[in-house]
Amino acid sequence: DAGVIQSPRHEVTEMGQEVTLRCKPISGHDYLFWYRQTMMRGLELLIYFNNNVPIDDSGMPEDRFSAKMPNASFSTLKIQPSEPRDSAVYFCASSRGLAGGTDTQYFGPGTRLTVL
Amino acid sequence: DQQVKQNSPSLSVQEGRISILNCDYTNSMFDYFLWYKKYPAEGPTFLISISSIKDKNEDGRFTVFLNKSAKHLSLHIVPSQPGDSAVYFCAASGGGSEKLVFGKGTKLTVNP
């Protein structure tokens, strides 16, 4: 299995532009998670899906952020409009089941976003 | 309000010695704890976990200890190797939530 795939790996954009990050989870995994890593806040959960349905988006910082999962093999995280404070590494992860069981989360390599 | 705290941003040890990484948590509902390891330019990878019904879990050179009364867990690496140099994240879940709550990470450097 190729693991969790994220694209692009790096994104540099200017303030006000729309940014779309993409993720392909591991086949057969029912859960998909979007995380953001910053120096100040560490690794924080933004939103997660179960069977393509958003379950908890309480970590999404504001309305500029949106996430979709149109099918079991694809998800997007969109920022519109982007701001310099959105600069971070964004990770996608997937798992078979609950974090509390033996189903660990597998992370993608991340997308490093820089907003100028 | 950080529910999972890793108070040491960095740790440096000599090859062959023991590395001890610490983690504290505040939410008494957490019942499952994990450690992830992250190399530069890669995503975190699962390392070891422990359920709250145990106080120790061992996997090769890695051992996690859980002290529920102190709400504290630690990761021991013995012996440490240069390839262990990475950022280590502590994470917790529980109380019916499927979410993992991560600490900010500790950067471990193992010197040859």
Side-chain angles (χ1 to χ4, degrees), chain B residues 29-81:
Chain B
M29 297 298 290
F30 286 150
D31 56 13
Y32 195 67
F33 305 89
L34 308 90
W35 286 93
Y36 277 77
K37 180 169 72 173
K38 183 185 178 305
Y39 292 118
E42 295 183 11
T45 56
F46 170 74
L47 184 59
I48 192 170
S49 63
I50 187 168
S51 165
S52 61
I53 62 174
K54 294 186 173 183
D55 55 18
K56 177 183 174 181
N57 188 26
E58 192 172 352
D59 183 2
R61 297 185 297 112
F62 303 90
T63 303
V64 57
F65 295 91
L66 176 62
N67 182 333
K68 290 185 290 293
S69 60
K71 294 191 179 67
H72 176 83
L73 65 155
S74 60
L75 174 68
H76 292 210
I77 306 173
V78 184
S80 301
Q81 300 173 354

